[in-house]
Amino acid sequence: MTTFHSTRSTTDSLTSKQAIRKGIADDGGLFVSDQLGETKVDIADLAGMSYQAMAQRVLGALLPDFTEEELAQCIAAAYGDQWADERITPVKPLGDDFVMELFNGPTSAFKDVALQILPRFMARTTPADGGANEKIMILTATSGDTGKAALAGFADAPGTAITVFYPQGKVSQVQELQMTTQTGSNVNVCAVEGNFDDAQSAVKRIFGDRELAARLAGDSHVVLSSANSINVGRLVPQVVYYFSAYAQLLERQIINVGDEVEFVVPTGNFGDILAGYYAKLLGLPVKHLVVASDKNNVLFDFLTTGTYNRNREFFQTISPSMDILISSNLERMLYYLSGKDTRLIAMLMNDLKQWGAYEVPDDLLARIRAIFGAGWADENQVRDMIADCWNEHHYVIDPHTACGYFVMKQMPRDPLTPRVLLATASPYKFPRVVNESLGLDASGTDFECMDALAAATGTVAPSALRGLETAAVRFKDVVTIDGMEHFVQSAAESL
Ligand SMILES: *Cc1c(COP(=O)(O)O)cnc(C)c1O
């Protein structure tokens, strides 16, 4: 029986459905299963298998308390024709290497892979109190990408509602319109006077406010929850595309069954790359996983020295979804590679909370480094790489993917091990930076930038992004930081 407990203690024993509904453990740890890797996923017949069939196999191994039928329904609804490519995460050649596009979903960012299916998982979990009237309200502060992907996933999802806050004037024109034009009867979007950190801290306070929780539960049957990438239900769908990459390399006859592959992953909260490690534990022949960071290079320092230290300057960069000082999902990797040592993890996380830093034992660092490589790119290098990738390969990349491209170029290439770069966002989400990097006109609106980019490169803007110029804006509310709680309460009352 697969059960989940906290990375910091073994007292809980939850099913995956309970873990998904709960999100985070009471002691602040993340849910992990000690059975992970006991059942291997068969890779002999992956070539030619559909993404949906692969998802059924991989998710079946990771979430065994969902029935086959439940998983099949979730998968069919999440990976249907809202994706611009029927392979869902297509792999394409990039010189001697490969790129896997994770951005063909409805919001053009890799978070769609997880957020298209998470609401469908949630709809199949049972309220803790057994009450069928209970609604989950997802509450998120976003610096751009997560908010829209979560809105698109939860819009009109049964038993759920969603409220998204974003910092006024601090997201791009495209990102703001993506959110304020969101349709659906259970969605709310609101700008906040303040920066992302202020909004994020306020959301955490709202989550911790027991009085508010009691009021919401009593008056409106609403329970607050998070769509953050620490939720198991957001992590496991990402394991599938590592198998898909392998299947596509088999199909292209680049590898034979059993050959090892290397992945380079633009990293922020460590969710995407952790899914690659889970794939390895499930039996996928993954040689190395390479962390690519932006100028916020806390993970690079950790992987080179063994000391994680968040006491440093925070940089707001042109790759905003990787601007992070605490990579939450790292905790799960430390759990597994320390031999499931909950006491060590509890101690390290306590150090992080108390001192903003921790140091792992040498033998643990050695085990981590045998699997994980690391590199990072500053903003000038990111811009140079967007141009380099276009000039060398006639392939346009976004600023997040460009961090990975830079790191991949720095690494010595082993001709026997194919490398796959994960492309995490469409360049059309960041058309101004991309145009500046390519020497194209970037003086007009984001939409004029998109048109110039399309004309110069022969690529096509995703219609959902290009169409934002004429989409109707539904949400115009702006609140102060102190007004956020009231906004949440009114949103819950109006459900
Ligand atoms: C979220 C995000 C990342 C980082 O992924 P993590 O799972 O947080 O490491 C990278 N690129 C883009 C475009 C993203 O939206």
Side-chain angles (χ1 to χ4, degrees):
M1 175 66 186
T2 297
T3 57
F4 289 79
H5 63 76
S6 165
T7 40
R8 304 181 194 177
S9 69
T10 52
T11 41
D12 284 330
S13 182
L14 302 177
T15 65
S16 69
K17 286 185 178 178
Q18 290 169 325
I20 287 171
R21 195 162 181 102
K22 200 159 169 153
I24 188 163
D26 288 334
D27 62 8
L30 311 192
F31 288 121
V32 283
S33 153
D34 290 347
Q35 287 79 31
L36 176 62
E38 274 175 15
T39 317
K40 302 290 181 202
V41 170
D42 187 11
I43 59 166
D45 59 349
L46 284 187
M49 188 182 280
S50 72
Y51 189 92
Q52 292 77 5
M54 234 171 312
Q56 183 85 36
R57 187 179 283 186
V58 174
L59 294 176
L62 290 165
L63 307 173
D65 54 310
F66 282 77
T67 66
E68 257 181 57
E69 182 58 27
E70 284 175 326
L71 284 180
Q73 289 166 354
C74 292
I75 290 165
Y79 306 116
D81 57 16
Q82 69 268 54
W83 292 79
D85 192 301
E86 65 172 16
R87 291 165 295 177
I88 308 298
T89 57
V91 170
K92 300 180 174 172
L94 194 69
D96 292 330
D97 301 301
F98 297 88
V99 60
M100 173 158 60
E101 294 180 351
L102 303 180
F103 55 74
N104 288 294
T107 80
S108 305
F110 106 93
K111 290 180 174 68
D112 287 330
V113 178
L115 282 165
Q116 281 296 301
I117 200 163
L118 177 67
R120 328 223 186 235
F121 288 157
M122 288 235 180
R124 286 162 180 83
T125 63
T126 317
D129 68 352
N133 289 331
E134 185 181 289
K135 277 201 172 191
I136 296 180
M137 184 153 91
I138 302 294
L139 188 59
T140 301
T142 185
S143 56
D145 278 355
T146 304
K148 175 59 183 182
L151 283 166
F154 281 95
D156 292 327
T160 71
I162 175 165
T163 299
V164 171
F165 293 105
Y166 67 93
Q168 185 183 28
K170 303 273 190 329
V171 302
S172 76
Q173 185 183 13
V174 167
Q175 286 176 317
E176 179 164 28
L177 285 171
Q178 274 192 302
M179 293 187 275
T180 56
T181 59
Q182 176 66 47
T183 57
S185 60
N186 62 342
V187 306
N188 267 295
V189 177
C190 183
V192 177
E193 292 171 3
N195 61 31
F196 170 65
D197 273 337
D198 301 334
Q200 173 91 322
S201 304
V203 163
K204 283 188 182 155
R205 276 199 303 278
I206 293 173
F207 276 126
D209 185 338
R210 286 179 195 263
E211 246 174 68
L212 175 70
R215 243 184 357 256
L216 294 181
D219 299 349
S220 325
H221 303 286
V222 167
V223 178
L224 298 180
S225 182
S226 153
N228 188 296
S229 72
I230 53 181
N231 193 310
V232 194
R234 247 192 85 173
L235 180 63
V236 296
Q238 298 174 5
V239 179
V240 177
Y241 53 70
Y242 286 90
F243 283 87
S244 170
Y246 200 82
Q248 292 179 63
L249 292 178
L250 284 172
E251 232 170 292
R252 288 173 177 270
Q253 302 189 315
I254 305 295
I255 53 170
N256 294 309
V257 174
D259 290 349
E260 291 190 309
V261 177
E262 206 155 59
F263 292 93
V264 182
V265 188
T267 297
N269 212 22
F270 210 80
D272 194 355
I273 196 162
L274 181 75
Y277 178 61
Y278 276 35
K280 184 176 169 67
L281 292 177
L282 290 175
L284 193 73
V286 176
K287 187 169 187 186
H288 290 126
L289 293 158
V290 181
V291 173
S293 302
D294 66 18
K295 199 175 169 188
N296 296 289
N297 56 4
V298 61
L299 281 171
F300 173 82
D301 288 348
F302 171 64
L303 291 163
T304 38
T305 65
T307 298
Y308 193 100
N309 189 348
R310 65 149 301 176
N311 303 313
R312 59 177 68 214
E313 192 180 341
F314 173 82
F315 299 106
Q316 194 162 342
T317 75
I318 51 177
S319 44
S321 297
M322 291 161 58
D323 292 343
I324 274 176
L325 290 183
I326 295 188
S327 291
S328 311
N329 271 300
L330 190 63
E331 185 171 342
R332 284 193 169 103
M333 181 268 267
L334 294 172
Y335 173 77
Y336 286 110
L337 279 171
S338 67
K340 304 173 182 165
D341 187 344
T342 51
R343 287 174 64 177
L344 175 70
I345 305 305
M347 197 183 80
L348 296 178
M349 294 306 134
N350 191 49
D351 285 353
L352 182 64
K353 192 170 172 198
Q354 199 127 45
W355 313 108
Y358 61 80
E359 188 180 352
V360 297
D362 285 345
D363 58 332
L364 173 53
L365 179 63
R367 283 199 294 280
I368 296 170
R369 290 181 47 146
I371 300 170
F372 290 92
W376 66 283
D378 71 26
E379 289 183 284
N380 287 331
Q381 288 163 333
V382 166
R383 290 176 190 274
D384 286 350
M385 290 303 109
I386 293 171
D388 182 279
C389 190
W390 170 249
N391 294 332
E392 295 281 319
H393 309 298
H394 269 68
Y395 186 79
V396 190
I397 53 178
D398 93 291
H400 302 80
T401 309
C403 293
Y405 181 82
F406 177 77
V407 171
M408 187 164 80
K409 275 192 73 134
Q410 301 294 105
M411 289 163 38
R413 191 174 168 279
D414 167 7
L416 295 177
T417 312
R419 305 193 295 193
V420 181
L421 168 65
L422 271 50
T424 51
S426 161
Y428 283 95
K429 275 199 95 164
F430 306 93
R432 188 173 308 277
V433 174
V434 172
N435 282 15
E436 286 165 3
S437 306
L438 296 180
L440 304 173
D441 186 14
S443 58
T445 64
D446 277 11
F447 301 103
E448 287 165 326
C449 289
M450 287 185 200
D451 293 343
L453 181 59
T457 60
T459 56
V460 181
S463 55
L465 293 182
R466 189 62 190 83
L468 287 170
E469 188 172 20
T470 52
V473 172
R474 293 182 65 203
F475 301 101
K476 292 179 178 159
D477 289 314
V478 184
V479 297
T480 61
I481 294 291
D482 290 336
M484 288 169 64
E485 177 167 330
H486 181 71
F487 188 89
V488 170
Q489 196 169 337
S490 317
E493 279 163 7
S494 67
L495 285 174

